[in-house]
């Protein structure tokens, strides 16, 4: 987790929001990956690689910060946003997997 005095992208004086986001994401990657693995659980883990989900979250965060869709200045809020994105992405994978299984069962 980033230190309490860490600044986030889009803070006054930051020259490269993407670089700053990448640095903070690198520090938080382990926590995000653990969260994703826990959310996937043993049933979905064989079908979805947690690293792929983490990379998808990283891309979404960097794009959101670059486009100023996300304007966060607190590392805890940044991690909370990453965790919420993880929940949503894993839920999407669950829905997709369930839909695919239902299609296979009907054919």
């Amino acid at each position: 987790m980033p230190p309490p005095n860490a600044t986030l992208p889009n803070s006054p004086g930051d020259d490269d929001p993407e670089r700053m986001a990448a640095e903070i994401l690198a520090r938080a990657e382990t926590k995000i990956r653990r969260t994703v693995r826990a959310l996937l659980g043993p049933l979905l883990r064989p079908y979805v690689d947690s690293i792929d989900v983490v990379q998808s979250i990283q891309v979404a965060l960097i794009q959101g910060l670059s486009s100023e869709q996300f304007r966060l200045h607190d590392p805890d809020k940044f991690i909370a946003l990453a965790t919420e994105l993880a929940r949503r992405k894993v839920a999407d994978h669950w829905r997709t997997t369930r839909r695919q299984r239902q299609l296979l069962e009907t054919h």
Side-chain angles (χ1 to χ4, degrees):
M1 185 162 180
N5 61 350
T7 58
L8 290 174
N10 297 330
S11 295
D14 290 344
D15 56 345
D16 187 359
E18 287 184 29
R19 181 186 57 76
M20 296 286 289
E23 287 176 14
I24 291 172
L25 282 168
R27 287 184 250 160
E29 182 179 359
T30 301
K31 181 174 178 143
I32 295 168
R33 189 179 33 187
R34 285 182 185 153
T35 300
V36 168
R37 284 185 58 80
L39 290 169
L40 288 173
L43 295 175
L44 195 56
R45 230 177 281 144
Y47 304 103
V48 180
D49 188 357
S50 61
I51 298 297
D52 290 340
V53 177
V54 170
Q55 288 174 345
S56 173
I57 292 166
Q58 291 172 332
V59 168
L61 285 169
I62 290 173
Q63 288 174 344
L65 290 165
S66 295
S67 68
E68 296 186 6
Q69 180 182 1
F70 307 138
R71 297 184 62 77
L72 303 170
H73 303 288
D74 179 1
D76 291 333
K77 289 183 181 179
F78 191 80
I79 298 300
L81 176 60
T83 301
E84 181 59 28
L85 287 173
R87 284 187 187 105
R88 291 178 184 196
K89 288 186 180 293
V90 170
D92 287 343
H93 283 290
W94 273 108
R95 282 189 290 272
T96 301
T97 302
R98 186 177 61 222
R99 203 173 317 123
Q100 289 173 348
R101 292 179 91 190
Q102 287 172 347
L103 286 173
L104 289 174
E105 290 172 2
T106 60
H107 286 92

